[in-house]
Amino acid sequence: KNPKASQIRWALSGAPEGFSLEKEETVPGGFILTLKTAGEKTPPGFRTNLIMEGYAEQEQAKGEKGPKKQPQRVFLGCLPAIPVEVMP
């Protein structure tokens, strides 16, 4: 079963120190991913490419017997590299 867009979660993969994913939103037609930088670790003019990985949580199948299990995190794939430049 394919996950709904609202069920997809994002994570930075191998990002340089100082970058983090601050917020993720599902909007009509896509996603808004807000990045945050740590000032001293990402000076103005710093350039890099960031990779975002998509995941969905898979719940236990209905009718499956036994104790309820924690949802499993399922890897969906990566977005193409996103070029970024830290602005002053």
Side-chain angles (χ1 to χ4, degrees):
K1 180 181 173 187
N2 292 332
K4 295 178 185 175
S6 62
Q7 295 173 314
I8 297 174
R9 296 293 168 253
W10 297 96
L12 281 168
S13 174
E17 193 174 350
F19 282 91
S20 61
L21 178 60
E22 182 176 49
K23 185 177 176 184
E24 51 187 288
E25 294 177 69
T26 304
V27 296
F31 302 93
I32 297 175
L33 304 173
T34 305
L35 301 172
K36 185 176 180 179
T37 60
E40 67 282 352
K41 295 180 182 176
T42 53
F46 181 81
R47 299 170 124 186
T48 190
N49 290 308
L50 298 176
I51 305 293
M52 299 298 300
E53 295 180 338
Y55 295 89
E57 287 191 351
Q58 186 175 14
E59 302 268 337
Q60 183 173 333
K62 289 183 181 178
E64 192 174 312
K65 296 185 181 193
K68 189 162 183 155
K69 299 175 187 172
Q70 293 285 359
Q72 280 190 302
R73 192 174 178 188
V74 179
F75 177 71
L76 299 175
C78 295
L79 294 177
I82 303 168
V84 296
E85 180 177 357
V86 177
M87 303 303 284

Coordinates of all heavy atoms in Angstrom, one line a residue:
K1 N 0.8 -1.2 0.0 CA 0.0 0.0 0.0 C 0.9 1.2 0.0 O 1.8 1.4 0.8 CB -0.9 0.0 1.2 CG -1.8 1.1 1.4 CD -2.7 1.0 2.6 CE -3.4 2.3 2.8 NZ -4.2 2.3 4.0
N2 N 0.6 2.2 -0.9 CA 1.3 3.4 -0.9 C 0.9 4.4 0.2 O -0.3 4.5 0.4 CB 1.1 4.1 -2.3 CG 1.8 3.3 -3.4 OD1 2.7 2.6 -3.2 ND2 1.2 3.4 -4.6
P3 N 1.9 5.0 0.8 CA 1.5 6.0 1.9 C 1.0 7.3 1.3 O 1.3 7.7 0.2 CB 2.9 6.2 2.5 CG 3.9 6.0 1.5 CD 3.3 4.9 0.6
K4 N 0.1 7.9 2.1 CA -0.4 9.2 1.7 C 0.7 10.2 1.9 O 1.6 10.0 2.8 CB -1.6 9.6 2.6 CG -2.8 8.7 2.4 CD -3.9 9.1 3.4 CE -5.0 8.1 3.3 NZ -6.1 8.4 4.2
A5 N 0.7 11.3 1.2 CA 1.7 12.4 1.3 C 1.9 12.8 2.8 O 3.0 13.1 3.3 CB 1.4 13.5 0.4
S6 N 0.7 12.9 3.5 CA 0.8 13.3 4.9 C 1.5 12.3 5.8 O 1.8 12.7 7.0 CB -0.6 13.7 5.4 OG -1.4 12.5 5.4
Q7 N 1.7 11.1 5.4 CA 2.4 10.1 6.2 C 3.9 10.0 6.0 O 4.6 9.3 6.6 CB 1.8 8.7 5.9 CG 0.3 8.6 6.3 CD -0.3 7.3 5.8 OE1 -0.1 6.9 4.7 NE2 -1.0 6.6 6.7
I8 N 4.3 10.8 5.0 CA 5.8 10.8 4.6 C 6.5 11.7 5.6 O 6.1 12.8 5.8 CB 6.0 11.2 3.2 CG1 5.3 10.1 2.3 CG2 7.5 11.3 2.9 CD1 5.4 10.5 0.8
R9 N 7.6 11.2 6.1 CA 8.5 12.0 7.0 C 9.9 12.1 6.3 O 10.3 11.3 5.5 CB 8.7 11.4 8.3 CG 7.4 11.3 9.1 CD 6.9 12.6 9.5 NE 5.6 12.6 10.1 CZ 4.5 13.1 9.4 NH1 4.6 13.6 8.2 NH2 3.3 13.0 10.0
W10 N 10.5 13.2 6.5 CA 11.8 13.5 5.9 C 13.0 13.6 6.8 O 12.8 14.0 8.0 CB 11.7 14.8 5.1 CG 10.7 14.8 4.0 CD1 9.4 15.2 4.1 CD2 10.8 14.2 2.7 NE1 8.7 14.9 3.0 CE2 9.5 14.3 2.1 CE3 11.9 13.6 2.0 CZ2 9.4 13.9 0.8 CZ3 11.7 13.2 0.7 CH2 10.4 13.3 0.1
A11 N 14.2 13.3 6.4 CA 15.4 13.3 7.2 C 16.5 13.7 6.3 O 16.6 13.3 5.1 CB 15.6 12.0 7.8
L12 N 17.4 14.6 6.8 CA 18.7 14.9 6.1 C 19.6 13.7 6.2 O 19.7 13.0 7.2 CB 19.4 16.1 6.8 CG 18.8 17.5 6.5 CD1 19.4 18.5 7.4 CD2 19.1 17.8 5.0
S13 N 20.3 13.4 5.1 CA 21.2 12.3 5.0 C 22.6 12.9 4.8 O 22.9 13.5 3.8 CB 20.9 11.4 3.9 OG 21.8 10.4 3.7
G14 N 23.5 12.6 5.8 CA 24.9 13.0 5.6 C 25.2 14.5 5.5 O 26.1 14.9 4.8
A15 N 24.3 15.3 6.1 CA 24.5 16.7 6.0 C 25.7 17.2 6.7 O 26.1 16.6 7.8 CB 23.2 17.4 6.6
P16 N 26.3 18.3 6.2 CA 27.5 18.9 7.0 C 27.0 19.3 8.4 O 25.8 19.6 8.6 CB 27.9 20.1 6.1 CG 27.3 19.8 4.8 CD 26.1 19.0 5.0
E17 N 27.9 19.3 9.3 CA 27.6 19.8 10.7 C 27.1 21.2 10.6 O 27.5 22.0 9.9 CB 28.9 19.8 11.5 CG 28.7 19.9 13.0 CD 29.9 19.7 13.8 OE1 31.0 19.3 13.2 OE2 29.8 20.0 15.0
G18 N 26.0 21.4 11.4 CA 25.4 22.7 11.4 C 24.1 22.8 10.7 O 23.3 23.8 10.9
F19 N 23.7 21.8 9.9 CA 22.5 21.8 9.1 C 21.5 20.9 9.8 O 21.8 19.8 10.3 CB 22.6 21.4 7.7 CG 23.2 22.4 6.8 CD1 24.6 22.5 6.6 CD2 22.4 23.3 6.1 CE1 25.1 23.4 5.8 CE2 22.9 24.2 5.2 CZ 24.3 24.3 5.1
S20 N 20.2 21.3 9.9 CA 19.2 20.5 10.5 C 17.8 20.8 9.8 O 17.7 21.8 9.2 CB 19.1 20.7 12.0 OG 18.7 22.0 12.3
L21 N 17.0 19.8 9.8 CA 15.6 20.0 9.3 C 14.8 20.5 10.4 O 14.5 19.8 11.4 CB 15.1 18.6 8.8 CG 13.6 18.6 8.2 CD1 13.5 19.6 7.1 CD2 13.2 17.2 7.8
E22 N 14.3 21.7 10.3 CA 13.6 22.4 11.4 C 12.1 22.1 11.3 O 11.4 21.9 12.4 CB 13.8 23.9 11.3 CG 13.0 24.7 12.4 CD 13.3 26.1 12.4 OE1 13.2 26.8 11.3 OE2 13.7 26.7 13.4
K23 N 11.5 22.0 10.1 CA 10.1 21.8 10.0 C 9.8 21.2 8.6 O 10.5 21.4 7.7 CB 9.4 23.2 10.0 CG 7.9 23.2 10.0 CD 7.4 24.7 10.2 CE 5.9 24.7 10.1 NZ 5.5 26.1 10.1
E24 N 8.8 20.3 8.6 CA 8.3 19.7 7.4 C 6.8 19.9 7.3 O 6.1 19.6 8.3 CB 8.7 18.2 7.3 CG 8.4 17.4 8.5 CD 9.0 16.0 8.4 OE1 8.5 15.2 7.6 OE2 9.9 15.8 9.2
E25 N 6.3 20.3 6.2 CA 4.9 20.5 6.0 C 4.4 19.8 4.7 O 5.1 19.9 3.7 CB 4.5 22.0 5.8 CG 4.8 22.8 7.0 CD 4.5 24.3 6.7 OE1 3.3 24.6 6.5 OE2 5.4 25.1 6.7
T26 N 3.2 19.3 4.7 CA 2.6 18.8 3.4 C 1.7 19.8 2.9 O 0.8 20.3 3.7 CB 1.8 17.5 3.7 OG1 2.7 16.5 4.3 CG2 1.3 16.9 2.5
V27 N 1.8 20.2 1.7 CA 1.0 21.2 1.1 C 0.4 20.6 -0.2 O 1.0 19.6 -0.8 CB 1.8 22.5 0.8 CG1 2.2 23.2 2.1 CG2 2.9 22.3 -0.1
P28 N -0.7 21.2 -0.8 CA -1.2 20.7 -2.1 C -0.1 20.7 -3.1 O 0.6 21.7 -3.3 CB -2.3 21.7 -2.4 CG -2.7 22.2 -1.1 CD -1.5 22.3 -0.3
G29 N 0.2 19.5 -3.7 CA 1.2 19.4 -4.7 C 2.6 19.2 -4.2 O 3.5 19.1 -5.0
G30 N 2.8 19.0 -2.9 CA 4.2 18.8 -2.5 C 4.4 18.9 -1.0 O 3.6 18.7 -0.2
F31 N 5.7 19.4 -0.7 CA 6.1 19.5 0.6 C 6.9 20.8 0.8 O 7.5 21.3 -0.2 CB 7.1 18.4 1.0 CG 6.5 17.0 0.9 CD1 6.6 16.3 -0.3 CD2 5.7 16.5 1.9 CE1 6.1 15.0 -0.4 CE2 5.2 15.2 1.8 CZ 5.3 14.5 0.6
I32 N 6.9 21.4 2.0 CA 7.8 22.5 2.3 C 8.7 22.0 3.4 O 8.2 21.5 4.5 CB 7.0 23.7 2.8 CG1 6.1 24.3 1.7 CG2 8.0 24.8 3.3 CD1 5.2 25.4 2.1
L33 N 10.0 22.0 3.1 CA 11.0 21.5 4.1 C 11.8 22.7 4.5 O 12.5 23.4 3.7 CB 11.9 20.4 3.5 CG 11.1 19.2 2.9 CD1 12.1 18.3 2.1 CD2 10.4 18.5 4.0
T34 N 11.8 23.1 5.8 CA 12.5 24.3 6.3 C 13.8 23.8 7.0 O 13.7 23.0 7.9 CB 11.6 25.0 7.3 OG1 10.4 25.4 6.6 CG2 12.3 26.3 7.7
L35 N 14.9 24.3 6.5 CA 16.2 24.0 7.0 C 16.7 25.1 8.0 O 16.3 26.2 7.9 CB 17.2 23.9 5.9 CG 16.9 22.8 4.9 CD1 17.9 22.9 3.7 CD2 17.0 21.4 5.5
K36 N 17.5 24.7 9.0 CA 18.1 25.6 9.9 C 19.6 25.4 9.9 O 20.1 24.3 9.8 CB 17.5 25.3 11.3 CG 17.9 26.2 12.4 CD 17.3 25.9 13.7 CE 17.7 26.9 14.8 NZ 17.0 26.6 16.1
T37 N 20.3 26.5 10.1 CA 21.8 26.4 10.2 C 22.3 26.9 11.6 O 21.6 27.8 12.1 CB 22.5 27.1 9.1 OG1 22.1 28.5 9.2 CG2 22.1 26.6 7.7
A38 N 23.4 26.4 12.0 CA 24.0 26.9 13.2 C 25.1 27.9 12.7 O 26.0 27.5 12.0 CB 24.7 25.7 14.0
G39 N 24.9 29.1 13.2 CA 25.7 30.3 12.7 C 27.2 30.0 12.6 O 27.8 30.2 11.5
E40 N 27.9 29.6 13.7 CA 29.3 29.5 13.6 C 29.8 28.3 12.8 O 30.9 28.3 12.3 CB 29.9 29.4 15.1 CG 29.5 28.1 15.8 CD 28.1 28.1 16.4 OE1 27.4 29.1 16.4 OE2 27.7 27.0 16.9
K41 N 29.0 27.3 12.5 CA 29.4 26.1 11.8 C 29.0 26.3 10.3 O 29.5 25.5 9.5 CB 28.7 24.9 12.3 CG 29.2 24.6 13.7 CD 28.5 23.4 14.3 CE 29.0 23.2 15.7 NZ 28.4 22.1 16.4
T42 N 28.2 27.3 10.0 CA 27.8 27.5 8.6 C 27.9 29.0 8.3 O 26.9 29.7 8.2 CB 26.4 27.0 8.3 OG1 25.5 27.6 9.3 CG2 26.3 25.5 8.5
P43 N 29.1 29.5 8.0 CA 29.3 30.9 7.7 C 28.6 31.3 6.4 O 28.4 30.5 5.5 CB 30.8 31.0 7.6 CG 31.3 29.7 7.2 CD 30.3 28.7 7.8
P44 N 28.3 32.6 6.3 CA 27.7 33.1 5.0 C 28.6 32.8 3.9 O 29.8 32.8 3.9 CB 27.7 34.6 5.2 CG 27.6 34.8 6.7 CD 28.4 33.7 7.3
G45 N 28.0 32.4 2.8 CA 28.7 32.0 1.6 C 29.0 30.5 1.5 O 29.4 30.0 0.4
F46 N 28.8 29.8 2.6 CA 29.1 28.3 2.6 C 28.1 27.7 1.6 O 26.9 27.9 1.7 CB 28.9 27.8 4.0 CG 29.1 26.3 4.1 CD1 30.4 25.8 4.2 CD2 28.1 25.4 4.1 CE1 30.7 24.4 4.3 CE2 28.3 24.0 4.2 CZ 29.6 23.6 4.3
R47 N 28.6 26.8 0.7 CA 27.8 26.1 -0.2 C 27.9 24.6 -0.1 O 29.0 24.1 0.2 CB 28.2 26.5 -1.6 CG 28.0 28.0 -1.9 CD 28.7 28.3 -3.2 NE 27.7 28.9 -4.1 CZ 27.9 29.3 -5.3 NH1 29.0 29.0 -5.9 NH2 26.9 29.9 -6.0
T48 N 26.8 23.9 -0.3 CA 26.9 22.4 -0.3 C 25.6 21.9 -1.0 O 24.8 22.7 -1.5 CB 27.0 21.9 1.2 OG1 27.3 20.5 1.1 CG2 25.7 22.2 1.9
N49 N 25.6 20.6 -1.1 CA 24.4 19.9 -1.6 C 23.8 19.1 -0.5 O 24.6 18.4 0.2 CB 24.7 19.0 -2.8 CG 25.1 19.8 -4.0 OD1 24.3 20.7 -4.4 ND2 26.2 19.5 -4.6
L50 N 22.5 19.1 -0.3 CA 21.9 18.3 0.8 C 21.0 17.2 0.1 O 20.4 17.4 -0.9 CB 21.0 19.2 1.6 CG 21.7 20.3 2.4 CD1 20.8 21.2 3.1 CD2 22.8 19.8 3.3
I51 N 21.0 16.1 0.8 CA 20.2 14.9 0.4 C 19.1 14.7 1.4 O 19.4 14.6 2.6 CB 21.0 13.6 0.3 CG1 22.2 13.8 -0.6 CG2 20.2 12.5 -0.1 CD1 21.9 14.1 -2.1
M52 N 17.9 14.6 1.0 CA 16.7 14.4 1.8 C 16.2 13.0 1.6 O 16.0 12.6 0.4 CB 15.6 15.4 1.5 CG 15.9 16.8 1.8 SD 16.4 17.2 3.5 CE 14.9 16.8 4.3
E53 N 16.0 12.2 2.6 CA 15.5 10.9 2.5 C 14.0 10.8 3.0 O 13.7 11.5 4.0 CB 16.3 9.9 3.4 CG 17.7 9.7 2.9 CD 18.5 8.8 3.8 OE1 18.1 8.5 5.0 OE2 19.5 8.3 3.3
G54 N 13.1 10.1 2.3 CA 11.7 10.0 2.6 C 11.5 8.7 3.3 O 12.0 7.7 2.9
Y55 N 10.6 8.7 4.3 CA 10.3 7.5 5.1 C 8.8 7.5 5.3 O 8.1 8.6 5.4 CB 11.0 7.5 6.5 CG 12.4 7.4 6.4 CD1 13.3 8.5 6.3 CD2 13.0 6.1 6.4 CE1 14.6 8.4 6.2 CE2 14.4 6.0 6.3 CZ 15.2 7.1 6.2 OH 16.6 7.0 6.2
A56 N 8.2 6.4 5.5 CA 6.8 6.2 6.0 C 6.8 5.2 7.1 O 7.7 4.3 7.2 CB 5.9 5.7 4.8
E57 N 5.8 5.4 8.0 CA 5.7 4.4 9.1 C 4.6 3.4 8.7 O 3.5 3.8 8.3 CB 5.3 5.1 10.4 CG 6.5 5.9 11.0 CD 6.2 6.3 12.4 OE1 5.1 6.3 12.8 OE2 7.2 6.8 13.0
Q58 N 5.0 2.2 8.7 CA 4.0 1.1 8.4 C 3.5 0.4 9.7 O 4.3 0.0 10.5 CB 4.8 0.0 7.5 CG 3.9 -1.0 7.0 CD 4.7 -1.9 6.1 OE1 5.9 -1.9 6.0 NE2 4.0 -2.8 5.3
E59 N 2.2 0.5 9.8 CA 1.5 -0.1 11.0 C 1.4 -1.6 10.8 O 1.4 -2.1 9.7 CB 0.1 0.6 11.1 CG 0.2 2.1 11.3 CD 0.2 2.5 12.7 OE1 -0.2 1.8 13.6 OE2 0.7 3.7 12.9
Q60 N 1.1 -2.3 11.9 CA 0.8 -3.7 11.8 C -0.4 -3.9 11.0 O -1.4 -3.2 11.1 CB 0.6 -4.2 13.3 CG 0.3 -5.7 13.4 CD 0.3 -6.1 14.9 OE1 0.9 -5.4 15.7 NE2 -0.4 -7.1 15.2
A61 N -0.4 -4.9 10.1 CA -1.5 -5.2 9.2 C -2.8 -5.6 10.1 O -2.7 -6.3 11.1 CB -1.2 -6.4 8.3
K62 N -3.9 -5.2 9.6 CA -5.2 -5.5 10.3 C -5.4 -7.0 10.2 O -5.1 -7.6 9.2 CB -6.4 -4.8 9.6 CG -6.4 -3.3 9.8 CD -7.6 -2.7 9.2 CE -7.5 -1.2 9.5 NZ -8.6 -0.5 8.9
G63 N -5.8 -7.6 11.3 CA -6.1 -9.0 11.3 C -4.8 -9.8 11.7 O -4.9 -11.0 11.9
E64 N -3.7 -9.1 11.8 CA -2.5 -9.8 12.2 C -2.6 -10.1 13.7 O -2.9 -9.3 14.5 CB -1.2 -8.9 11.9 CG 0.1 -9.7 12.0 CD 1.2 -8.8 11.6 OE1 1.1 -8.2 10.5 OE2 2.2 -8.7 12.4
K65 N -2.3 -11.4 14.0 CA -2.4 -11.8 15.4 C -1.2 -11.5 16.2 O -0.1 -11.2 15.7 CB -2.7 -13.3 15.5 CG -4.1 -13.6 14.8 CD -4.4 -15.1 15.0 CE -5.7 -15.3 14.3 NZ -6.4 -16.5 14.5
G66 N -1.4 -11.5 17.5 CA -0.2 -11.2 18.4 C -0.3 -9.9 19.0 O -1.2 -9.0 18.7
P67 N 0.7 -9.5 19.9 CA 0.7 -8.2 20.5 C 0.9 -7.1 19.5 O 1.6 -7.4 18.5 CB 1.8 -8.3 21.5 CG 2.7 -9.5 21.1 CD 1.8 -10.4 20.3
K68 N 0.3 -6.0 19.7 CA 0.5 -4.9 18.8 C 2.0 -4.5 18.7 O 2.6 -4.3 19.8 CB -0.4 -3.7 19.2 CG -0.4 -2.6 18.2 CD -1.5 -1.7 18.3 CE -1.5 -0.7 17.2 NZ -2.7 -0.1 16.9
K69 N 2.5 -4.3 17.5 CA 3.9 -4.0 17.4 C 4.1 -2.5 17.1 O 3.1 -1.8 16.6 CB 4.5 -4.7 16.2 CG 4.5 -6.2 16.3 CD 4.9 -6.9 15.1 CE 4.7 -8.4 15.2 NZ 5.0 -9.1 13.9
Q70 N 5.3 -2.0 17.4 CA 5.6 -0.6 17.1 C 5.6 -0.4 15.5 O 5.9 -1.3 14.8 CB 6.9 -0.2 17.6 CG 7.0 -0.1 19.1 CD 6.4 1.1 19.7 OE1 5.9 1.9 18.9 NE2 6.4 1.2 21.0
P71 N 5.1 0.8 15.0 CA 5.2 1.0 13.6 C 6.6 0.8 13.1 O 7.6 1.2 13.8 CB 4.7 2.4 13.4 CG 4.0 2.7 14.6 CD 4.6 1.9 15.7
Q72 N 6.8 0.3 11.9 CA 8.1 0.2 11.3 C 8.4 1.3 10.3 O 7.5 1.8 9.6 CB 8.2 -1.1 10.4 CG 8.4 -2.4 11.2 CD 8.7 -3.5 10.3 OE1 7.9 -3.8 9.4 NE2 9.9 -4.1 10.4
R73 N 9.6 1.8 10.4 CA 10.0 2.9 9.5 C 10.5 2.3 8.2 O 11.4 1.5 8.1 CB 11.1 3.7 10.2 CG 11.4 5.0 9.5 CD 12.5 5.7 10.3 NE 12.8 7.0 9.7 CZ 13.8 7.8 10.1 NH1 14.5 7.5 11.1 NH2 14.0 8.9 9.4
V74 N 9.8 2.7 7.1 CA 10.1 2.1 5.8 C 10.7 3.2 4.9 O 10.1 4.3 4.7 CB 8.8 1.6 5.1 CG1 9.1 1.0 3.7 CG2 8.2 0.5 6.0
F75 N 11.9 2.9 4.3 CA 12.6 3.9 3.4 C 11.9 3.9 2.1 O 11.6 2.9 1.5 CB 14.0 3.4 3.3 CG 14.8 4.3 2.3 CD1 15.2 5.5 2.7 CD2 15.2 3.8 1.1 CE1 15.9 6.3 1.8 CE2 15.9 4.6 0.2 CZ 16.3 5.8 0.6
L76 N 11.6 5.2 1.6 CA 10.9 5.3 0.4 C 11.8 5.8 -0.8 O 11.5 5.5 -1.9 CB 9.7 6.4 0.5 CG 8.7 6.1 1.5 CD1 7.7 7.2 1.7 CD2 7.9 4.8 1.1
G77 N 12.9 6.5 -0.4 CA 13.8 7.0 -1.5 C 14.3 8.3 -1.1 O 14.0 8.9 -0.1
C78 N 15.1 8.9 -2.0 CA 15.8 10.2 -1.8 C 15.3 11.2 -2.8 O 15.0 10.8 -4.0 CB 17.3 10.0 -2.0 SG 18.1 9.0 -0.7
L79 N 15.3 12.4 -2.4 CA 15.1 13.5 -3.4 C 16.4 13.8 -4.1 O 17.5 13.4 -3.6 CB 14.7 14.8 -2.7 CG 13.3 14.8 -2.0 CD1 13.1 16.1 -1.2 CD2 12.2 14.6 -3.0
P80 N 16.4 14.3 -5.3 CA 17.7 14.7 -5.9 C 18.4 15.7 -5.0 O 17.8 16.4 -4.2 CB 17.2 15.4 -7.2 CG 15.9 14.9 -7.5 CD 15.2 14.7 -6.1
A81 N 19.7 15.8 -5.2 CA 20.6 16.7 -4.3 C 20.0 18.1 -4.5 O 19.7 18.6 -5.5 CB 22.0 16.6 -4.8
I82 N 19.9 18.8 -3.3 CA 19.4 20.1 -3.3 C 20.6 21.1 -3.0 O 21.2 21.0 -1.9 CB 18.4 20.3 -2.1 CG1 17.3 19.3 -2.3 CG2 17.9 21.7 -2.0 CD1 16.4 19.2 -1.1
P83 N 21.0 21.9 -4.0 CA 22.1 22.9 -3.8 C 21.6 24.0 -2.8 O 20.5 24.5 -3.0 CB 22.4 23.4 -5.2 CG 21.2 23.2 -6.0 CD 20.4 22.0 -5.4
V84 N 22.4 24.3 -1.8 CA 22.1 25.4 -0.9 C 23.3 26.3 -0.7 O 24.5 25.8 -0.9 CB 21.7 24.8 0.5 CG1 20.4 24.1 0.4 CG2 22.7 24.0 1.1
E85 N 23.1 27.5 -0.4 CA 24.1 28.5 -0.1 C 23.6 29.3 1.1 O 22.5 29.8 1.1 CB 24.4 29.4 -1.2 CG 25.5 30.4 -0.9 CD 25.8 31.4 -2.1 OE1 25.3 31.2 -3.2 OE2 26.6 32.3 -1.9
V86 N 24.5 29.4 2.2 CA 24.1 30.1 3.4 C 24.2 31.6 3.1 O 25.3 32.1 2.6 CB 25.0 29.7 4.5 CG1 24.6 30.6 5.8 CG2 24.9 28.2 4.8
M87 N 23.1 32.3 3.3 CA 23.1 33.8 3.0 C 23.3 34.5 4.3 O 22.9 34.1 5.4 CB 21.8 34.2 2.4 CG 21.5 33.4 1.1 SD 22.7 33.6 -0.2 CE 22.4 35.2 -0.7
P88 N 23.9 35.7 4.2 CA 24.1 36.5 5.5 C 22.8 37.0 6.0 O 21.8 37.1 5.4 CB 24.9 37.7 5.0 CG 25.0 37.7 3.5 CD 24.4 36.4 3.1

